[in-house]
Amino acid sequence: MSSPLNPNGFLKPLTDCKALLFYKKTVILYDMTYYFVNRYLERGDRTIDQMVQAARSGKQNIVEGLEDGMTSMEMALKLLNVARGSLKELQEDYEDQLRVNGLPIWTSTHPRSKALKDYCFANNDVGQYAPYFERWNLEEFCNTALTLIHQADRGIMSYLTKLEAAFLAEGGIKEQMSAARRRVRGY
């Protein structure tokens, strides 16, 4: 693969994270979580910092992973997986909120599950969710967050699978650097 600056090079073109649906969902999750902890949790609760940091880490590690992917497929893979881990931590916190409050997780058999999945699938801008932050009850808030987490996770997994295929086809940075050098030298 050639560099956008040098057709004989090895640098990968940067991916604009803001164009990726799974990144957009993590932006929504960060804003939702920030609002959620300030509305539903008591000041001083360690869960506040934990949830906000997990939401932030999910978002920020996507940014860093895609940036690092310009020169290191390994770092891109690792950081995107860190993002997944952070989202899984956040998922656990929202599930805990439902469990300790005696509220259900909306599985596929729940009457509101399909409509929520469809809404989250079609809407990828925080502005489409923010008007509901004040209106949702705890059950609606948590289940919306869980749905977004699942959709972001599937998107990240799909992207990781594409990176894996690219690595198998093109090799790592050292292989690409050597190949580029051979091309430049004419052998």
Side-chain angles (χ1 to χ4, degrees), residues 7-8 11 34 78 133 180:
N8 292 319
L11 296 176
Y34 189 85
K78 283 181 180 179
F133 292 176

Side-chain angles (χ1 to χ4, degrees), residues 3-120:
S3 161
L5 303 173
N6 178 355
N8 292 319
F10 53 86
L11 296 176
K12 301 239 183 265
L14 285 174
T15 301
D16 178 12
C17 67
K18 294 181 184 200
L20 297 171
L21 293 180
F22 62 83
Y23 173 78
K24 291 177 182 185
K25 291 185 186 304
T26 64
V27 172
I28 298 164
L29 282 163
Y30 177 79
D31 286 14
M32 280 181 69
T33 300
Y34 189 85
Y35 186 89
F36 176 86
V37 299
N38 287 297
R39 179 176 173 193
Y40 288 105
L41 302 180
E42 291 184 32
R43 281 197 180 274
D45 186 338
R46 257 181 49 81
T47 308
I48 292 171
D49 289 338
Q50 295 291 324
M51 288 182 75
V52 170
Q53 287 306 312
R56 182 184 182 280
S57 177
K59 182 174 84 64
Q60 298 301 105
N61 277 293
I62 292 169
V63 174
E64 188 176 355
L66 294 174
E67 285 293 319
D68 287 357
M70 184 176 190
T71 59
S72 175
M73 177 81 70
E74 179 182 1
M75 285 305 296
L77 291 165
K78 283 181 180 179
L79 289 167
L80 287 170
N81 204 52
V82 169
R84 285 189 68 238
S86 295
L87 292 175
K88 292 295 185 178
E89 179 183 345
L90 187 61
Q91 175 183 333
E92 193 72 17
D93 284 325
Y94 278 113
E95 288 174 354
D96 287 347
Q97 288 298 314
L98 290 169
R99 187 185 67 259
V100 300
N101 286 287
L103 299 169
I105 294 174
W106 296 354
T107 62
S108 60
T109 59
H110 190 279
R112 294 181 66 187
S113 176
K114 181 168 177 8
L116 178 59
K117 286 178 187 174
D118 291 347
Y119 184 85
C120 291

Side-chain angles (χ1 to χ4, degrees), residues 28 31-32 35 39 126 129-136 141:
I28 298 164
D31 286 14
M32 280 181 69
Y35 186 89
R39 179 176 173 193
V126 72
Y129 294 81
Y132 297 105
F133 292 176
E134 195 62 41
R135 293 190 284 186
W136 282 330
F141 215 114

